[in-house]
Amino acid sequence: LSEQETVDCSNRNTYPDEGCAGCNGCWPNWIMKYAKDHGVGAYDAYPYTASDGVCERDLHPVVANFTRHGGINGSVSEILNRLQQGPLMITLAVQADGGAFTSYRSGILGLDGRGTTNLTPQDHVVTMVGFGSEIVHFPETTTTITTGGETVITEEVAYTECKEPSRRGTCKGRGFQLIAETNLCCRGEYIIYNETTTGETTETITVPARDEEVFYWKLQNSWGSWGDNGFIKVMVTDGEGVSGMNRDVEWIEAAVEP
């Protein structure tokens, strides 16, 4: 189907109700609404130019019509069920995931914890085209855990400025006073709070090397040769998902010809 048609023709200048901004971006549900309301032409007839253009949808026949669309938020089982009916649109937090997505070359993204924090804002859309699993080898790991202990907080008096007293042992200058413990003239008293912990216990936990089956989503990106031949495998996780991918998943149903 024609990506360029959605860039040119769902633009606010052409169809204000769709609320898109061409190459400056659009939320997936608005694109889905455009496709349901107007249908979409063929890619070969209206090819992608990677730039904003004048809407030419009336010059090309519609080759796909759609009946309804909707969204999924956070449900892995619902994403899987919908994916088995057709591709899905996924919104990711690419700029906020520490480069995990843009630096991807192979393997399963998310295994090392990258892409699992700082999941806002969402700023890039890709297509989910499949799912699968691989046997992944995890090396032996050792973790040290510290528990227990008692925390004690003590107070210490400090000063912003100190100097030697005069030969007569007196302090000169506004606010200075003689501190007996140090025999210095000081001013600007404040309190420092010191925290110490005693009685802690340390435990070392070793997880042996193992082989585990890891499930992944297969995504397709529009950046040409990026990633693994234009695709990326992302570990299936609950909650918001790697790079926030579970938060905003859009689906659409094609009209069935009689």
Side-chain angles (χ1 to χ4, degrees):
L1 300 180
S2 175
E3 299 157 316
Q4 192 62 39
E5 178 182 335
T6 63
V7 172
D8 295 344
C9 301
S10 67
N11 191 290
R12 294 188 187 101
N13 295 329
T14 307
Y15 290 102
D17 290 343
E18 268 66 61
C20 295
C23 288
N24 288 323
C26 185
W27 287 105
N29 60 307
W30 292 344
I31 290 294
M32 296 296 194
K33 181 180 184 300
Y34 171 85
K36 183 182 76 69
D37 291 347
H38 307 287
V40 182
Y43 179 90
D44 291 342
Y46 201 159
Y48 188 58
T49 64
S51 61
D52 289 318
V54 177
C55 178
E56 298 180 353
R57 69 181 307 275
D58 293 336
L59 302 180
H60 310 287
V62 172
V63 298
N65 288 291
F66 303 90
T67 57
R68 62 184 186 134
H69 65 93
I72 304 168
N73 190 326
S75 172
V76 171
S77 60
E78 192 173 353
I79 292 173
L80 180 59
N81 289 336
R82 274 290 170 186
L83 180 60
Q84 294 179 78
Q85 300 176 44
L88 305 173
M89 293 181 75
I90 310 296
T91 307
L92 306 174
V94 171
Q95 300 301 322
D97 68 4
F101 185 88
T102 54
S103 62
Y104 174 85
R105 293 295 178 271
S106 62
I108 299 177
L109 180 65
L111 286 176
D112 59 358
R114 299 182 68 198
T116 57
T117 59
N118 300 324
L119 304 180
T120 55
Q122 294 164 286
D123 50 28
H124 188 62
V125 177
V126 296
T127 305
M128 180 183 286
V129 296
F131 63 95
S133 67
E134 289 182 6
I135 301 299
V136 177
H137 177 75
F138 293 88
E140 180 181 291
T141 58
T142 301
T143 304
T144 300
I145 300 176
T146 301
T147 59
E150 180 182 358
T151 299
V152 178
I153 298 177
T154 59
E155 298 181 2
E156 177 185 351
V157 179
Y159 302 90
T160 58
E161 184 180 1
C162 291
K163 63 182 179 179
E164 295 288 341
S166 67
R167 292 180 180 180
R168 296 181 180 181
T170 59
C171 297
K172 295 182 178 181
R174 178 177 297 178
F176 282 95
Q177 58 180 334
L178 186 64
I179 307 302
E181 294 83 356
T182 62
N183 198 34
L184 293 174
C185 293
C186 300
R187 65 180 178 183
E189 179 180 315
Y190 63 96
I191 302 297
I192 297 176
Y193 295 94
N194 299 310
E195 183 177 307
T196 57
T197 303
T198 59
E200 296 176 326
T201 58
T202 301
E203 180 182 5
T204 300
I205 299 176
T206 299
V207 178
R210 66 208 184 276
D211 293 329
E212 289 186 6
E213 184 177 21
V214 176
F215 292 88
Y216 62 81
W217 305 116
K218 188 174 184 180
L219 311 182
Q220 185 175 20
N221 195 33
S222 58
W223 293 345
S225 60
W226 164 90
D228 187 357
N229 295 315
F231 294 90
I232 180 173
K233 297 174 182 177
V234 180
M235 183 172 63
V236 176
T237 62
D238 292 325
E240 294 190 333
V242 177
S243 294
M245 63 174 296
N246 295 355
R247 287 188 303 191
D248 189 3
V249 180
E250 296 290 329
W251 56 267
I252 192 167
E253 291 184 357
V256 178
E257 295 295 334

